[in-house]
């Protein structure tokens, strides 16, 4: 299959097309985690259940004391040596019915004397059990009950959770079947907690029945934890209702929060994607500065970044056009000189044309070197590491170098700087800035003679949070209205005495680019006397102090 017949490849599905962004899901998860953990902890309700059990046992103990006193006073033989079974059974059934408990009475030898659930005498016994109150929903079989029991079962496996022995009841009951009953035979009150197969509990209190401080038997009151379980069920149901309400509010708040965070970010991402794929400026980053939050700041920063990128592209296009124009001029001159030299026979004229060609080649070499330096400048400034630079020492060193290398007719340099003028920058590039300014000042200053004593003055001082450095010459000054234009690329405004093509017009433009990269400013002005006559040009560089 050739290249033309290949099917177009589609981009993989983007995260921007998802209905719920990952950020929305994370917000939901984080917001739901706290109420979910809270509900999970409240479902256990271990301390609340223990308090209910303790309260129920305390009530059973109170009932047992009343029952034991009643039996000791009313169901004992005249001799006071034994319990009367018939009378004891009647008392036990009546008192147990009133207290809604199960009461069992054991004789001193451990035999069962009375049970509130046995309505008839042996030989025709009928067991009586209390039915649960009528309910609209059967809690035993409801899904919520099963859920709560499963939850309790899981918690029972956790370390530190109290476990209860199982409840077993024989057909022929004896006091030996119950540890609390045997303990009560020794004259003490005992309590017991046992678990049923369905997860409920059987609570028991055993208390001795005495007559004149003689133990005649044991009364054991028992009660299931149905009321406790019902109370726990209601509490958990209330918790579920509150959780359901909280869940709805949390989800709504989460979607609102996601809408104020995830949705604007998605809009910004889509806009940035359109800008990336577009080839013109009709696509822009939407402005959200009215939000007044971090997303608004992000939108503004992205918008400013996009504008800066377009400005940089415009600058690159303009730079390319300027380079093409500046290189074309010496190339045209070279072409004309070469064509003319080929037709000339006079050696003297040929030598003049060869000199023109040599000047144009040198001009091209200078121009290409300056263009190469200017094109690399941005990349170097972005990669270079800034260090503290003493601007005063730098200017002093440049003045010393000029003093020892310049000719006798070159203008003299003076320097006046303060101590400790530190700026954070790239030392080599800052040296390039002030070397360009000094070279520019020297080229515009008149020759130095013993009569005029031409000076170029350099000064630096602190001005608040900035370091201000000036380079002042005694030349003709800057043409009026050109104070900003001189910093444009390839702008040339040279003295009449200087040969054409000696400067590329990039020196001041490069200097401004370096100063701007350091967060500073550079400007130029013409100093004048009282009559308005120019006294020279002054360049001022302001850099943030370190």
């Amino acid at each position: 299959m050739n290249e033309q017949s290949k099917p177009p490849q589609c981009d993989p599905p983007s995260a921007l097309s998802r209905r719920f962004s990952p950020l929305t899901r994370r917000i939901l998860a984080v917001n739901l985690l706290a109420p979910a953990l809270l509900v999970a902890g409240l479902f256990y309700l271990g301390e609340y259940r223990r308090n209910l059990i303790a309260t129920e046992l305390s009530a059973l103990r109170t009932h047992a004391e009343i029952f034991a006193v009643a039996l000791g006073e009313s169901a004992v033989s005249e001799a006071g040596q034994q319990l009367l079974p018939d009378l004891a059974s009647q008392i036990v059934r009546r008192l147990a019915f009133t207290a809604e408990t199960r009461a069992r009475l054991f004789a001193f030898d451990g035999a069962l004397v009375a049970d509130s659930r046995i309505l008839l005498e042996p030989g025709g016994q009928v067991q009586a059990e209390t039915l649960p109150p009528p309910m609209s929903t059967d809690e035993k079989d409801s899904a919520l009950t099963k859920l709560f029991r499963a939850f309790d079962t899981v918690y029972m496996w956790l370390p530190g959770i109290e476990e209860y022995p199982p409840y077993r009841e024989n057909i022929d009951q004896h006091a030996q079947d119950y540890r609390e009953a045997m303990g009560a035979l020794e004259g003490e009150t005992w309590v017991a907690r046992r678990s049923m197969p369905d997860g409920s509990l059987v609570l028991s209190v055993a208390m001795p029945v005495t007559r004149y401080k003689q133990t005649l038997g044991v009364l054991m009151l028992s009660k299931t934890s149905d009321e406790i379980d019902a109370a726990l069920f209601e509490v958990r149901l209330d918790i579920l209702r509150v959780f359901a309400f909280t869940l709805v509010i949390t989800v709504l708040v989460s979607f609102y929060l996601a809408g104020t965070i995830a949705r604007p970010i998605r809009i910004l991402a889509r806009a940035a994607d359109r800008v990336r794929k577009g080839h013109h400026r009709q696509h822009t980053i939407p402005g959200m500065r009215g939000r007044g939050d971090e997303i608004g700041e992000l939108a503004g920063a992205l918008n400013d970044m996009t504008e800066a990128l377009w400005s940089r592209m415009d600058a690159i296009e303009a730079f390319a056009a300027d380079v093409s124009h500046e290189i074309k001029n010496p190339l045209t001159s070279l072409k004309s000189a070469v064509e003319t030299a080929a037709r000339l026979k006079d050696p003297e004229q040929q030598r003049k044309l060869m000199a023109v060609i040599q000047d144009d080649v040198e001009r091209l070499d200078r121009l290409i070197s300056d263009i190469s330096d200017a094109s690399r400048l941005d990349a170097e400034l972005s990669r270079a590491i800034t260090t503290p630079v003493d601007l005063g020492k730098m200017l002093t060193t440049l003045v010393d170098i000029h003093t020892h290398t310049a000719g006798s007719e070159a203008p003299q340099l003076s320097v006046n700087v303060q101590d400790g003028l530190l700026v954070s920058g790239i030392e080599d590039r800052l040296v390039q800035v002030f070397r360009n300014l000094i070279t520019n000042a020297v080229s515009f200053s008149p020759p130095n003679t013993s009569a005029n004593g031409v000076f170029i003055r350099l000064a630096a001082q602190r001005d608040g949070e900035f370091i201000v450095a000036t380079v002042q010459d005694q030349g003709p000054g800057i043409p009026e209205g050109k104070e900003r234009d001189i910093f444009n690329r390839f702008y040339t405004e040279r003295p009449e005495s200087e040969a054409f093509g000696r400067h590329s017009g990039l020196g001041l433009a490069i200097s401004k680019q370096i100063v701007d990269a350091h967060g500073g400013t550079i400007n130029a002005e013409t100093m004048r006397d009282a009559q308005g006559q120019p006294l020279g040009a002054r360049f001022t560089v302001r850099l943030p102090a370190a």
Side-chain angles (χ1 to χ4, degrees), residues 194-329:
R194 293 184 177 87
S195 62
M196 298 289 285
D198 60 356
S200 62
L201 298 178
V202 175
L203 307 177
S204 301
V205 173
M207 181 172 291
V209 178
T210 60
R211 177 74 171 182
Y212 300 123
K213 296 185 180 181
Q214 180 183 358
T215 301
L216 303 179
V218 172
L219 175 68
M220 186 172 75
L221 298 185
S222 302
K223 193 171 185 179
T224 62
S225 62
D226 290 342
E227 295 180 1
I228 296 176
D229 294 339
L232 288 174
F233 181 86
E234 291 299 327
V235 171
R236 285 171 169 171
L237 195 59
D238 291 339
I239 292 173
L240 271 183
R241 293 191 185 102
V242 174
F243 174 69
F245 177 76
T246 306
L247 178 64
V248 173
I249 298 300
T250 301
V251 171
L252 292 178
V253 171
S254 298
F255 276 112
Y256 170 75
L257 187 61
T260 58
I261 297 178
R263 185 173 176 272
I265 291 178
R266 185 183 297 181
I267 292 175
L268 292 177
R270 287 174 177 169
D273 192 58
R274 288 194 297 268
V275 172
R276 177 179 66 87
K277 294 180 179 179
H279 301 286
H280 39 74
R281 303 190 183 186
Q282 69 176 8
H283 300 300
T284 59
I285 303 295
M288 299 181 182
R289 298 183 186 272
R291 289 177 57 98
D293 56 10
E294 289 78 1
I295 294 181
E297 295 177 0
L298 175 62
L302 288 175
N303 201 8
D304 295 342
M305 182 186 68
T306 304
E307 293 298 327
L309 288 175
W310 285 120
S311 300
R312 182 61 57 87
M313 293 177 64
D314 292 341
I316 292 174
E317 292 176 359
F319 182 74
D322 293 342
V323 168
S324 175
H325 175 74
E326 292 298 324
I327 291 180
K328 187 176 181 180
N329 290 335

Side-chain angles (χ1 to χ4, degrees), residues 36-271:
L37 291 177
L38 178 62
V39 169
L42 290 176
F43 271 0
Y44 175 51
L45 296 175
E47 188 63 29
Y48 180 65
R49 189 186 190 195
R50 282 191 291 270
N51 291 336
L52 290 179
I53 291 174
T55 302
E56 192 68 37
L57 289 174
S58 177
L60 284 176
R61 182 191 293 267
T62 302
H63 289 308
E65 291 176 354
I66 297 173
F67 290 9
V69 171
L71 290 171
E73 294 293 334
S74 305
V76 181
S77 63
E78 294 181 359
Q81 299 296 324
Q82 59 182 0
L83 296 171
L84 299 176
D86 295 339
L87 185 56
S89 297
Q90 294 177 10
I91 294 175
V92 165
R93 280 196 299 269
R94 290 180 181 179
L95 293 178
F97 177 78
T98 304
E100 297 181 352
T101 59
R102 182 183 181 183
R104 281 168 282 189
L105 181 62
F106 296 96
F108 187 76
D109 58 1
L112 180 63
V113 175
D115 189 344
S116 61
R117 285 190 179 179
I118 300 176
L119 300 181
L120 301 179
E121 294 298 329
Q125 295 181 352
V126 177
Q127 296 286 336
E129 293 188 8
T130 304
L131 295 177
M135 301 180 184
S136 58
T137 303
D138 187 5
E139 293 183 1
K140 297 292 184 180
D141 299 326
S142 66
L144 288 178
T145 303
K146 294 178 180 179
L147 173 64
F148 296 155
R149 286 179 180 172
F151 201 86
D152 290 337
T153 302
V154 172
Y155 264 103
M156 291 302 295
W157 289 93
L158 297 178
I161 302 301
E162 186 177 0
E163 296 183 5
Y164 302 111
Y167 177 78
R168 294 184 180 89
E169 183 175 325
N170 298 326
I171 297 177
D172 296 327
Q173 298 184 58
H174 194 276
Q176 293 181 352
D177 298 337
Y178 307 101
R179 187 166 59 91
E180 62 271 27
M182 296 302 297
L185 286 175
E186 298 178 0
E188 298 179 0
T189 302
W190 280 57
V191 297
R193 306 168 188 84
R194 293 184 177 87
S195 62
M196 298 289 285
D198 60 356
S200 62
L201 298 178
V202 175
L203 307 177
S204 301
V205 173
M207 181 172 291
V209 178
T210 60
R211 177 74 171 182
Y212 300 123
K213 296 185 180 181
Q214 180 183 358
T215 301
L216 303 179
V218 172
L219 175 68
M220 186 172 75
L221 298 185
S222 302
K223 193 171 185 179
T224 62
S225 62
D226 290 342
E227 295 180 1
I228 296 176
D229 294 339
L232 288 174
F233 181 86
E234 291 299 327
V235 171
R236 285 171 169 171
L237 195 59
D238 291 339
I239 292 173
L240 271 183
R241 293 191 185 102
V242 174
F243 174 69
F245 177 76
T246 306
L247 178 64
V248 173
I249 298 300
T250 301
V251 171
L252 292 178
V253 171
S254 298
F255 276 112
Y256 170 75
L257 187 61
T260 58
I261 297 178
R263 185 173 176 272
I265 291 178
R266 185 183 297 181
I267 292 175
L268 292 177
R270 287 174 177 169

Side-chain angles (χ1 to χ4, degrees), residues 305-508:
M305 182 186 68
T306 304
E307 293 298 327
L309 288 175
W310 285 120
S311 300
R312 182 61 57 87
M313 293 177 64
D314 292 341
I316 292 174
E317 292 176 359
F319 182 74
D322 293 342
V323 168
S324 175
H325 175 74
E326 292 298 324
I327 291 180
K328 187 176 181 180
N329 290 335
L331 285 178
T332 301
S333 177
L334 276 174
K335 179 181 179 181
S336 176
V338 170
E339 291 175 351
T340 302
R343 294 193 300 267
L344 291 177
K345 303 299 183 181
D346 186 0
E348 184 64 25
Q349 294 293 329
Q350 288 181 348
R351 281 195 297 272
K352 290 182 179 181
L353 284 176
M354 291 302 296
V356 171
I357 291 173
Q358 185 176 358
D359 288 341
D360 287 337
V361 170
E362 292 178 356
R363 179 184 172 192
L364 272 176
D365 180 66
R366 255 190 324 269
L367 187 61
I368 293 174
S369 298
D370 290 343
I371 290 172
S372 175
D373 188 26
S375 62
R376 293 196 310 268
L377 186 58
D378 277 340
E380 291 182 4
L381 290 176
S382 63
R383 291 194 301 264
I385 300 175
T386 59
T387 57
V389 179
D390 193 328
L391 203 61
K393 291 183 179 179
M394 176 194 297
L395 296 179
T396 303
T397 302
L398 290 175
V399 170
D400 292 340
I401 293 174
H402 176 82
T403 301
H404 290 87
T405 57
S408 59
E409 294 186 358
Q412 300 181 25
L413 269 64
S414 65
V415 59
N416 181 18
V417 296
Q418 298 176 354
D419 295 331
L421 300 178
L422 295 178
V423 298
S424 180
I426 307 167
E427 186 172 11
D428 293 342
R429 290 301 180 179
L430 292 177
V431 169
Q432 182 180 359
V433 169
F434 289 99
R435 184 175 289 170
N436 286 342
L437 295 180
I438 292 173
T439 302
N440 186 76
V442 169
S443 64
F444 279 93
S445 296
N448 183 30
T449 63
S450 57
N452 53 25
V454 177
F455 283 92
I456 297 175
R457 293 177 174 83
L458 279 70
Q461 61 183 0
R462 178 180 288 274
D463 183 13
E465 297 182 354
F466 290 87
I467 304 298
V468 180
T470 58
V471 178
Q472 178 178 332
D473 61 41
Q474 296 179 355
I478 303 169
E480 189 173 356
K482 300 295 184 179
E483 289 84 357
R484 293 181 179 272
D485 294 340
I486 61 175
F487 295 104
N488 295 334
R489 286 190 297 266
F490 303 111
Y491 178 87
T492 55
E493 188 74 35
R494 307 307 304 174
E496 296 180 358
S497 60
E498 184 177 290
F500 175 75
R502 293 296 179 88
H503 295 273
S504 64
L506 288 174
L508 291 178

